[in-house]
Amino acid sequence: MKFQSTFSEILQASIRSWTSRRVDECILSFALPIEGVDPLFQIPLISNHQQFSFLWDLAPDLCIAAAGKCQSFELLGQRRFELAQRFTDETFNRLIDGSPNIPYQAKARILYAFTFFEQTSEFIRDEEIAPAVQAVLPSWQLTSINGSGWLRLNAVVAQEADVRDFVEKLWLMREKLTQFTYQKPSQQESFNALTLDSKEWERNYKLALGKGIELVETKQLKKLVLAVKQSIDVKKPFDPLNVLNTLRNYQKDSCRFLWQRSKDESFFGASPERLLSLRQDRMITDALAGTAMKGPQANDLLSSDKDLREHNLVVTSIRDVLLDLGLSPKRFSKPCLAQHGNIVHLHTPMTFKLRDQSPLQLVDALHPTPAVAGLPRTNALNWLRTLEPFDRGSYAAPIGWIDTDHNAEFRVAIRCGYFRGTKIDLFAGAGLVKGSTIEGELEEVRLKFAVLADQISSQTQFSGKIF
């Protein structure tokens, strides 16, 4: 496969591409190979002077950094998946890729972050309201697999003179990235682990758990996943990239993610749960429910009546939703164990052969899964509104991307935190089924909080205020 290697070749290829499909203000896109890159460490270079930045880190597998907004779409309200898919189709129809014969990881992508609920709850009316969907075709996209990388620039081009400016900008950025040398932040051998021992959140959560357990024990619900929020004040500027870097060691099999709307506002985490992966006509989704701490006790999950019932509810619900779309699943008859740091889950991957479903049609059908909401879905969501004294925002919502070949990947945004100004909000939840206990669910939530809390406490100083 031959790639243009000189400035002149790239310029001529870009002009040919733009001329062949010239329309008013088309989106010109071009990718150049670049070796030895790590998008996590080089994201500050491509995000210079840009408010928006994004990270999707499965390194050493696919790692994506992106910055700036070439095209974007935000919506408050209904029909968000349908309208986001329309934005996607229209944007890709306008996009002219001057480098079409490139590998999968280099394709242009639109990035997405949804909120859990379609409508904002009453609890944050006095705060800035997060859009129900944010979709971004970034200006810059840097991708890599095992150090083999690609730099892509997307820009609106209205006339031929703009093409040269476009190529110059791309060429100079690649030179900047190639010359950049970085040092990985040192990994501390011991962590000043933050203990989330605030009695306030436990006291409030116990009340909600008591009501939730009553609902499942009296069979008003089959399952309810109650979340809780823990807030921390920090003393000095906080960089979530440092936390995400340490999570490469402590959450190797999770997807580390960052959605940064501005320098002072970031949503970040390390999700173990795949909502869906689409590649050509194949889809994989995860049923992930049933939790224990790493160690000998984790094997007890495979024989725990309570955890197996909780897990099977999730498997059955996902299967039924996709059967309604005409998709037939292939899956293992029994769950396996999936370890993510100190946490082990029951895990059943499910594979489907697609027909003509669009990626966001599938996301719409799957969200929210019983692993983060409950069953029956509508009743569970109504009870979450009643029992959770905060708005979930993007916690447990879909986050991910779709590329120009309609490949896609979305994760469920759990094990996450939201940073704004000098405050970090951490989120965690526990699934309630018949047989759940208040103390058991509290212990599970403490374990989930620690995924980020231990790393945050090693990266920054705290004001001492935990609430």
Side-chain angles (χ1 to χ4, degrees):
M1 188 178 296
K2 183 181 184 298
F3 301 108
Q4 292 82 10
S5 58
T6 68
F7 180 89
S8 178
E9 288 176 336
I10 295 166
L11 177 60
Q12 292 305 311
S14 299
I15 291 174
R16 286 195 302 271
S17 298
W18 179 81
T19 303
S20 66
R21 285 189 52 197
R22 182 174 10 182
V23 294
D24 291 341
E25 292 194 339
C26 70
I27 301 168
L28 183 59
S29 185
F30 204 101
L32 294 178
I34 179 170
E35 296 301 318
V37 296
D38 187 330
L40 187 150
F41 297 112
Q42 291 169 298
I43 191 172
L45 289 179
I46 63 171
S47 64
N48 187 31
H49 305 305
Q50 307 280 356
Q51 288 294 311
F52 172 77
S53 58
F54 171 88
L55 181 73
W56 184 268
D57 182 27
L58 287 164
D61 201 348
L62 179 66
C63 184
I64 307 168
K69 294 182 178 181
C70 174
Q71 301 285 282
S72 63
F73 170 77
E74 293 186 354
L75 176 70
L76 289 169
Q78 300 177 345
R79 299 173 58 212
R80 55 182 178 162
F81 295 101
E82 174 190 344
L83 294 176
Q85 186 65 57
R86 184 182 301 176
F87 164 79
T88 301
D89 296 339
E90 291 174 353
T91 300
F92 283 154
N93 284 338
R94 292 175 55 209
L95 187 142
I96 299 171
D97 193 343
S99 50
N101 298 317
I102 53 175
Y104 155 78
Q105 69 265 27
K107 299 291 184 180
R109 288 169 168 82
I110 295 179
L111 318 170
Y112 307 84
F114 293 86
T115 54
F116 184 85
F117 289 105
E118 193 170 66
Q119 301 287 345
T120 303
S121 94
E122 60 183 307
F123 297 110
I124 60 168
R125 285 179 178 171
D126 296 332
E127 300 181 17
E128 182 181 353
I129 298 174
V133 56
Q134 300 170 72
V136 177
L137 175 70
S139 300
W140 294 104
Q141 178 182 296
L142 180 63
T143 56
S144 74
I145 293 181
N146 291 315
S148 178
W150 291 81
L151 174 67
R152 177 177 290 277
L153 175 61
N154 302 305
V156 174
V157 174
Q159 52 189 353
E160 187 172 326
D162 296 335
V163 179
R164 184 178 183 89
D165 292 339
F166 171 93
V167 174
E168 285 180 348
K169 186 182 294 186
L170 177 61
W171 186 266
L172 289 173
M173 179 60 80
R174 185 173 69 164
E175 290 295 307
K176 186 177 179 181
L177 291 168
T178 301
Q179 295 169 10
F180 175 69
T181 58
Y182 58 85
Q183 284 188 328
K184 296 183 181 181
S186 61
Q187 303 290 340
Q188 299 184 13
E189 293 183 2
S190 61
F191 291 94
N192 177 27
L194 173 67
T195 302
L196 296 177
D197 58 356
S198 169
K199 298 303 179 185
E200 183 178 352
W201 78 259
E202 289 195 11
R203 181 169 57 251
N204 294 335
Y205 194 45
K206 282 180 181 179
L207 294 175
L209 286 174
K211 181 59 180 179
I213 290 173
E214 176 189 332
L215 291 169
V216 296
E217 291 291 347
T218 58
K219 299 184 179 180
Q220 296 179 63
L221 295 173
K222 294 180 180 179
K223 181 179 181 179
L224 183 66
V225 185
L226 280 175
V228 63
K229 180 176 74 170
Q230 174 72 60
S231 299
I232 308 166
D233 276 344
V234 295
K235 279 185 177 180
K236 62 182 182 179
F238 168 73
D239 186 354
L241 289 175
N242 291 334
V243 173
L244 296 175
N245 176 49
T246 63
L247 289 172
R248 280 183 165 179
N249 287 338
Y250 294 93
Q251 294 288 321
K252 292 181 179 179
D253 295 324
S254 294
C255 177
R256 284 78 59 187
F257 64 85
L258 170 70
W259 189 279
Q260 187 164 297
R261 296 181 72 187
S262 71
K263 298 301 180 184
D264 296 321
E265 183 181 353
S266 302
F267 180 60
F268 64 99
S271 173
E273 185 172 352
R274 173 174 46 193
L275 185 65
L276 62 82
S277 292
L278 303 182
R279 191 77 180 272
Q280 297 177 342
D281 63 346
R282 295 284 177 179
M283 182 182 92
I284 302 174
T285 187
D286 287 343
L288 200 73
T291 304
M293 180 178 282
K294 181 181 71 173
Q297 65 272 29
N299 290 323
D300 294 341
L301 285 173
L302 295 171
S303 57
S304 166
D305 178 68
K306 179 259 185 187
D307 290 291
L308 288 171
R309 279 190 289 105
E310 179 184 353
H311 185 79
N312 288 333
L313 283 172
V314 175
V315 171
T316 301
S317 176
I318 292 174
R319 181 202 63 193
D320 290 347
V321 163
L322 295 174
L323 282 173
D324 287 343
L325 293 178
L327 305 178
S328 299
K330 292 182 179 179
R331 64 181 179 89
F332 296 113
S333 57
K334 294 182 180 180
C336 58
L337 296 178
Q339 181 179 327
H340 297 273
N342 288 328
I343 300 178
V344 178
H345 296 287
L346 290 174
H347 176 215
T348 299
M350 306 169 72
T351 304
F352 300 80
K353 182 176 175 60
L354 297 181
R355 294 186 177 180
D356 57 355
Q357 294 85 2
S358 68
L360 291 179
Q361 180 185 3
L362 293 165
V363 174
D364 188 11
L366 288 168
H367 174 73
T369 72
V372 292
L375 287 170
R377 180 189 283 185
T378 300
N379 290 345
L381 292 176
N382 289 337
W383 276 110
L384 292 182
R385 288 289 206 187
T386 301
L387 296 175
E388 294 178 355
F390 60 92
D391 189 90
R392 287 193 174 196
S394 293
Y395 166 69
I399 185 169
W401 52 264
I402 300 173
D403 73 14
T404 49
D405 284 343
H406 306 290
N407 300 308
E409 183 153 353
F410 284 84
R411 291 273 168 157
V412 180
I414 54 176
R415 311 291 188 272
C416 61
Y418 180 74
F419 167 66
R420 178 187 286 170
T422 60
K423 187 175 81 167
I424 302 172
D425 292 330
L426 302 181
F427 299 87
L432 309 179
V433 295
K434 189 174 181 180
S436 294
T437 65
I438 290 177
E439 285 306 317
E441 305 311 320
L442 280 172
E443 183 58 34
E444 180 176 324
V445 165
R446 293 188 195 104
L447 188 63
K448 292 174 178 176
F449 269 143
V451 170
L452 288 187
D454 286 358
Q455 311 310 323
I456 291 170
S457 66
S458 71
Q459 299 294 338
T460 187
Q461 295 176 329
F462 292 88
S463 66
K465 186 176 182 183
I466 303 174
F467 52 95

